Amino acid sequence: MSVLALRDVVKTYGDVGALRGVTLDVADGELVAVVGPSGSGKSTMLNIIGTLDRPTSGTLHIAGDDVGTMRDDELSALRALHIGFVFQHFHLQPGATAAENVADGLLYADVARRVRRRRAVEALERVGLGHRVDHLPNQLSGGEQQRVAIARAIVGDPTILLADEPTGALDTASGTAILEVLRELNSAGTTVLVITHDLELAASLPRQVRMRDGLVEQDSAGGDAAELAAAIAGGAR
Ligand SMILES: Nc1ncnc2c1ncn2[C@@H]1O[C@H](COP(=O)(O)OP(=O)(O)OP(=O)(O)O)[C@@H](O)[C@H]1O
Ligand SMILES: [Mg+2]
C-alpha cells in the first residue's frame, strides 16, 4: 500500500515554480533518499509531504487520506499521528533538557505529562542517548543534538519520518551514526524520506529519487535501481 501518494503536485511562490508537477508513490516501510541540485525543490516537496505547506495544485494522500480536503484541525491531528520531521539545524529549546525537548514532540498528541516523560526517555534510548536524558543541548555534541531531534520526531511513533539534510551540519562520523539511526528506525517499520547532498550516502539507500527544476527527474523505483545507484555514486566522485 502507498503510504504517500503525490499526483501532479505544483507549488509556486510568486512566479517561481518550486514544484512543477511532482508525482511520487512511497510504499509503507520504504527508505528513500531525495537528491538533486540546490533549488530543485527537495525541501518544498518534503514540507508539502509533512503538511507544513499546502500544494498550489495537485493532490497528496497520506495513509490513504486526501490531505487537500482536510481542515486545519484535521491536518494537525494527521500530522501528530503520522509525521515526524528532522531538520539540518536541530531546533532544540536551549533551556530544556534532552528529555523535555523530546517530550515536546507529544504536545499535540494528548498524552499525560508523566507518560510524556517516560516515552521521551524511551525514544532517547532508541537513538542511543539513554545516558543523556537530563543534559541540556549545549552539553551535547552536534551528533547527539541531532539524535535528540530524531527522538523528538519519533516519540509519537509516526508512520513517516521526514529528514531534510539531517547530516548537513555534522562531521562525517556523526553523520554516519545519524544515518545508522534512520536505518534502524526504518528496519523497525517507519517509512523514511531523507534529503541529502551526500551522493554516496544516497546510493547506499534502497531507493533514490532525483529532483531537478521542480520535477522528479529520476526515480530508481521506476527504472533500473542498481543503474541509478551506480550513476549517483559515480557523480559523487
Ligand atoms: N518560501 C519561499 N518563497 C519563495 N521562494 C521559495 C520559497 N521556498 C522555496 N522557494 C524557491 O523554490 C525553489 C525550490 O526551493 P527548495 O528550498 O525546495 O530547494 P532545495 O532543493 O531544497 O534546495 P537546497 O538543496 O538548497 O536546500 C527555489 O528556487 C527557492 O528559491
Ligand atoms: Mg532544501
Side-chain angles (χ1 to χ4, degrees):
M1 185 197 94
S2 280
V3 71
L4 265 181
L6 290 80
R7 288 290 172 280
D8 299 318
V9 169
V10 170
K11 181 71 187 182
T12 51
Y13 293 106
D15 53 6
V16 176
L19 296 179
R20 300 190 298 127
V22 168
T23 291
L24 182 74
D25 285 279
V26 176
D28 199 12
E30 279 200 90
L31 173 50
V32 183
V34 178
V35 299
S38 182
S40 59
K42 304 181 297 295
S43 294
T44 303
M45 181 175 80
L46 224 65
N47 290 344
I48 284 176
I49 291 171
T51 74
L52 301 178
D53 215 343
R54 286 185 186 262
T56 305
S57 65
T59 62
L60 165 66
H61 285 76
I62 295 179
D65 290 325
D66 184 349
V67 169
T69 63
M70 290 187 179
R71 297 188 313 262
D72 281 348
D73 59 326
E74 295 171 318
L75 214 50
S76 302
L78 172 128
R79 207 182 295 128
L81 186 64
H82 288 301
I83 307 285
F85 227 114
V86 179
F87 302 93
Q88 176 174 354
H89 302 288
F90 327 122
H91 298 300
L92 302 177
Q93 305 274 5
T97 65
E100 288 163 351
N101 267 288
V102 174
D104 277 355
L106 289 170
L107 278 183
Y108 304 97
D110 199 20
V111 177
R113 196 191 166 93
R114 250 199 342 249
V115 179
R116 284 210 297 269
R117 159 90 191 179
R118 199 188 67 225
R119 291 193 45 191
V121 171
E122 283 166 5
L124 284 164
E125 285 166 353
R126 286 183 73 189
V127 300
L129 280 185
H131 58 310
R132 292 283 186 271
V133 294
D134 293 319
H135 280 54
L136 295 169
N138 68 8
Q139 299 169 325
L140 299 169
S141 72
E144 287 173 338
Q145 289 181 55
Q146 188 60 295
R147 280 191 273 164
V148 173
I150 293 174
R152 179 181 56 193
I154 61 155
V155 67
D157 207 8
T159 317
I160 306 163
L161 181 61
L162 303 169
D164 192 342
E165 297 188 48
T167 66
L170 302 175
D171 61 83
T172 308
S174 307
T176 304
I178 290 299
L179 201 77
E180 206 40 57
V181 170
L182 295 183
R183 282 183 197 278
E184 282 167 20
L185 295 170
N186 176 251
S187 302
T190 310
T191 303
V192 179
L193 273 78
V194 52
I195 296 177
T196 178
H197 277 114
D198 183 335
L199 298 180
E200 266 181 81
L201 182 158
S204 76
L205 299 186
R207 178 177 174 191
Q208 300 85 29
V209 169
R210 177 143 62 186
M211 302 193 65
R212 180 178 293 276
D213 294 337
L215 294 169
V216 172
E217 181 189 48
Q218 232 177 343
D219 182 348
S220 65
D224 185 327
E227 197 176 290
L228 179 59
I232 285 177
R237 283 189 275 276

